[in-house]
Amino acid sequence: MAQREWNAVGQAGYFNGGASTVTCNLPDGYTITITLEQNADGLLVAKGMSLKPTAGREPSNNISSKYFQTLGFGELLSEARKAYVEYANIVEDVYLEMLVEKLLADWPNTGAAKFPDAKYAAVAWKYENLLLNGSSNPVIDLAEIMGCEDRDTASVRIIEARSRGLLSRPTMGSFGGKLTARGRKILEMEGGDKNAKKSKPSTRSVEKK
């Protein structure tokens, strides 16, 4: 079976554990929409479902008990859960980027020791992001983003991020590095309730024994 494409329904949740909706056009001319929500045990459970003709298409089957038997709702629900988690990751990254931009914006020129780990974790996140986006000189680009007077200031902050265990050291030379697990955890804790993130939803089965 070809991979079915699931999309988030606009203004139908933030994929943060609360009720959020995904939709998929089926090949037989119907569109299925499923709303999922994370329960108290961390499982994604279906809270609602609708099945309607796809706009501009004539369905090849009538909705009947036999049609529902052949629909394969269990498989559709599994796909919907995976789509929910994928969108949760996207939302998390968006909030994380917003937090990083905020942490980098307010940085007066005082001693490195006076700043909390969260600021250097933001430096590490942005430095890695610049590398991923193909920056030919991430230090200069980072200096411009942070409003540093010169490249050396940005370089010192990168070195400090490494010394605090927030940015990994490159395997060769001095170019490269990734945000460490500790750095990501610090950023997530810094965001707190501001980004309304719950624990990552589980895609395990919701069936009760």
Side-chain angles (χ1 to χ4, degrees), residues 39-62:
N39 67 11
D41 295 323
L43 303 178
L44 278 175
V45 297
K47 305 298 289 186
M49 186 272 284
S50 71
L51 189 67
K52 298 180 179 179
T54 302
R57 290 191 59 185
E58 182 68 28
S60 57
N61 298 294
N62 294 320

Side-chain angles (χ1 to χ4, degrees), residues 191-204:
D193 293 335
K194 296 176 185 178
N195 60 18
K197 280 290 296 178
K198 297 182 180 180
S199 59
K200 190 175 294 298
S202 170
T203 59
R204 290 179 292 156

Side-chain angles (χ1 to χ4, degrees), residues 90-142:
I90 293 171
V91 170
E92 181 178 32
D93 287 344
V94 169
Y95 278 117
L96 200 56
E97 184 169 7
M98 291 170 61
L99 173 63
V100 166
E101 296 294 340
K102 181 179 179 181
L103 287 168
L104 294 180
D106 180 23
W107 201 315
N109 291 320
T110 55
K114 295 184 178 180
F115 295 108
D117 285 343
K119 280 194 170 293
Y120 288 101
V123 168
W125 188 97
K126 196 65 179 180
Y127 181 75
E128 180 184 2
N129 182 259
L130 287 168
L131 290 173
L132 289 172
N133 282 280
S135 171
S136 59
N137 200 320
V139 178
I140 291 178
D141 290 341
L142 185 63

Side-chain angles (χ1 to χ4, degrees), residues 60-81:
S60 57
N61 298 294
N62 294 320
I63 296 178
S64 63
S65 58
K66 182 178 180 180
Y67 175 73
F68 272 109
Q69 290 174 3
T70 60
L71 187 60
F73 183 71
E75 185 177 353
L76 288 167
L77 183 57
S78 178
E79 291 178 13
R81 289 197 192 102

